[in-house]
Amino acid sequence: MTETKANAPVGVFDSGLGGLTVVREIMRQLPEEDIVYFGDTARVPYGSKSKDTIIYFSRQIVHFLRTKDVKAIVVACNTASALALEEIKDEIDLPMIGVVKPGALAAAKATQTGKVGVIGTQATVSSGIYAKVLSEIDPKITVTGKACPLFVPMVEEQMMDHPVMMEMIDYYLSSLRQSEVDALVLGCTHYPLLRKQIHQYLGESITLVNPAYETAMGLKELLEEQGLRNTQKKQAAADLYVSDLPDRFKEFANSILPLDIDRVKMVNVEQY
Ligand code: DGL
């Protein structure tokens, strides 16, 4: 790989703003990598949509990111990683990584009982992808999946500390309290922002697995393997794009990223 290619940005996408939790982790672990992020705020949520629609949306975003000359693509969305990654990665000549495999690997390492819980959107849980990947890693591991669709709008509304949030956590997760699950995958981009509340509810004996952390480590390995690590010592840049109004997104980005975001640009992703 040429020096120029290694200095190119990493493309990251999600159905909306939740994927910024993955960007935050990439910035922590790979501070010299520039990022081009696309959040599909016009078409979120993906979690209630069909596989064909999720593939169609993801393909358009990948085509858009290619126009930004990215050197690799991170599918930061669990739903798109579960339903579209396998389909799309053979269509392009760029390395691509999703959040499911890294999350599953971390869960397999964390569990002692061999009983893993996975929470995510309806599409991710129904796909059975975590159970499939975990059984490839260790056939003795069993998976209990639970879709928690209302967590996403609660986080989007920044209602993590509202009393209704704890009621919702009880509604979705009470069965896990009685189970032998000792590792729980936060299988949706928004859920790491509920880490504190979920921990408080389930207690310290369950390890919460945040695929964002493992994905950033996986990206580092992938870039190293392919000779694509950016070697320039500099303040990395983040170029953010959305498909609908940028203001709330910009506010959220500034609340969780370690650098100032002056501008979020809006693009019509339908044309890609
Ligand atoms: N980004 C999605 C995920 O990680 C959550 C939001 C949505 O349903 O699109 O699964």
Side-chain angles (χ1 to χ4, degrees):
M1 278 299 158
T2 64
E3 185 74 1
T4 333
K5 184 84 182 158
N7 294 338
V10 174
V12 181
F13 80 88
D14 178 39
S15 56
L17 50 75
L20 291 174
T21 57
V22 179
V23 172
R24 175 174 64 180
E25 222 25 81
I26 294 172
M27 287 179 167
R28 269 187 199 143
Q29 295 186 39
L30 304 168
E32 57 297 316
E33 297 296 343
D34 292 330
I35 308 278
V36 176
Y37 181 91
F38 179 82
D40 201 357
T41 50
R43 305 188 291 193
V44 68
Y46 283 12
S48 52
K49 296 195 169 71
S50 68
K51 181 173 171 137
D52 283 352
T53 300
I54 296 161
I55 292 172
Y56 175 72
F57 288 171
S58 304
R59 196 177 272 135
Q60 283 180 330
I61 298 168
V62 165
H63 291 165
F64 164 70
L65 289 172
R66 290 215 65 146
T67 67
K68 301 289 160 200
D69 289 329
V70 297
K71 62 183 173 186
I73 292 181
V74 179
V75 185
C77 178
N78 275 265
T79 306
S81 297
L83 292 132
L85 176 60
E86 283 307 310
E87 200 90 17
I88 292 176
K89 83 171 195 251
D90 296 334
E91 297 172 7
I92 60 157
D93 56 350
L94 282 177
M96 270 180 98
I97 180 173
V99 286
V100 170
K101 266 196 195 139
L105 279 168
K109 267 192 228 146
T111 183
Q112 305 283 322
T113 60
K115 303 208 179 328
V116 171
V118 174
I119 54 174
T121 64
Q122 194 62 60
T124 300
V125 171
S126 306
S127 76
I129 185 89
Y130 275 99
K132 179 173 172 276
V133 177
L134 275 160
S135 77
E136 281 161 14
I137 299 168
D138 180 350
K140 289 192 292 302
I141 293 179
T142 58
V143 172
T144 306
K146 181 80 190 165
C148 309
L150 291 175
F151 285 180
V152 168
M154 287 296 283
V155 171
E156 298 259 339
E157 291 301 322
Q158 310 261 356
M159 287 173 74
M160 288 84 95
D161 291 313
H162 193 281
V164 168
M165 192 68 240
M166 287 320 278
E167 279 181 39
M168 225 174 257
I169 289 177
D170 180 50
Y171 175 74
Y172 286 127
L173 305 186
S174 60
S175 57
L176 282 177
R177 262 180 159 175
Q178 276 93 51
S179 71
E180 284 176 61
V181 162
D182 67 346
L184 179 67
V185 180
L186 305 176
C188 170
T189 46
H190 292 58
Y191 300 176
L193 298 163
L194 292 171
R195 196 187 178 93
K196 183 185 80 188
Q197 292 81 351
I198 295 174
H199 231 150
Q200 192 183 324
Y201 180 78
L202 292 176
E204 297 297 317
S205 55
I206 292 194
T207 304
L208 299 184
V209 176
N210 174 5
Y213 178 81
E214 310 294 332
T215 303
M217 293 204 324
L219 174 65
K220 184 171 175 212
E221 261 168 47
L222 182 72
L223 295 179
E224 266 159 16
E225 260 166 40
Q226 311 239 351
L228 284 175
R229 276 300 296 279
N230 192 340
T231 47
Q232 287 182 335
K233 290 266 174 288
K234 57 168 180 54
Q235 174 69 50
D239 217 0
L240 308 185
Y241 295 86
V242 287
S243 49
D244 207 340
L245 299 177
D247 290 353
R248 260 191 71 217
F249 184 91
K250 187 178 140 199
E251 205 180 294
F252 182 75
N254 276 311
S255 76
I256 77 159
L257 297 182
L259 74 181
D260 281 339
I261 304 295
D262 304 329
R263 206 168 150 225
V264 174
K265 287 158 254 176
M266 196 169 131
V267 287
N268 176 11
V269 73
E270 297 277 355
Q271 72 192 35
Y272 291 92

